[in-house]
Amino acid sequence: MASPSTAPLPPAVENRLARDRNVWLCTLRRDGSPHMTPVWFVYADGVWWIGCEARSVKARNVAADPRVSLALEDGVHPVVAEGVARLHRADFPPAIVAAFAEKYGGWDIRQPVTPERVLLEVPVRRWLLAGRAR
């Protein structure tokens, strides 16, 4: 039997991951306190992708402690996941660049070059809630 972290997601959750524009990203500050911010994202094959400025609080937090949580904006049908982020400074996967452009009206995740952009790759380690509160 598949564990909750590896079981297929319900179709309604997959649809939300494809269409919802924002996810709340929670990173950890150096003192261990949470930092939450809404971000644009692409979800593909069990991985969340998030673009941000290299000097942003979230990027600095991930560089120091890569553990993150993510939550879609809906308290009735919550989608919450945990993972360990990897920070990409260059060579963003072309399929992910294209997915951001398609989802966000042509937005190029690589631009602007100054300030430097980074891409967070967050494979899902565990789904905490996938579509309904318990």
Side-chain angles (χ1 to χ4, degrees), residues 23-48:
V23 65
W24 284 87
L25 172 68
C26 183
T27 60
L28 298 171
R29 294 182 178 99
R30 289 188 187 273
D31 68 1
S33 64
H35 174 263
M36 290 186 68
T37 184
V39 293
W40 284 358
F41 73 98
V42 165
Y43 178 83
D45 300 321
V47 178
W48 299 81

Side-chain angles (χ1 to χ4, degrees), residues 56-130:
S56 67
V57 171
K58 59 188 145 286
R60 290 191 322 259
N61 288 348
V62 163
D65 185 338
R67 296 174 296 162
V68 302
S69 295
L70 303 121
L72 292 181
E73 298 178 317
D74 184 339
V76 176
H77 304 302
V79 175
V80 181
E82 292 179 341
V84 176
R86 179 175 169 224
L87 201 140
H88 295 264
R89 295 193 178 276
D91 300 325
F92 298 173
I96 299 305
V97 172
F100 270 102
E102 182 178 331
K103 187 172 184 178
Y104 297 102
W107 181 55
D108 187 342
I109 190 94
R110 301 165 296 187
Q111 303 298 324
V113 175
T114 304
E116 178 190 5
R117 305 278 312 164
V118 296
L119 186 63
L120 304 179
E121 175 185 7
V122 185
V124 173
R125 183 176 62 93
R126 178 169 65 152
W127 291 103
L128 301 177
L129 294 169

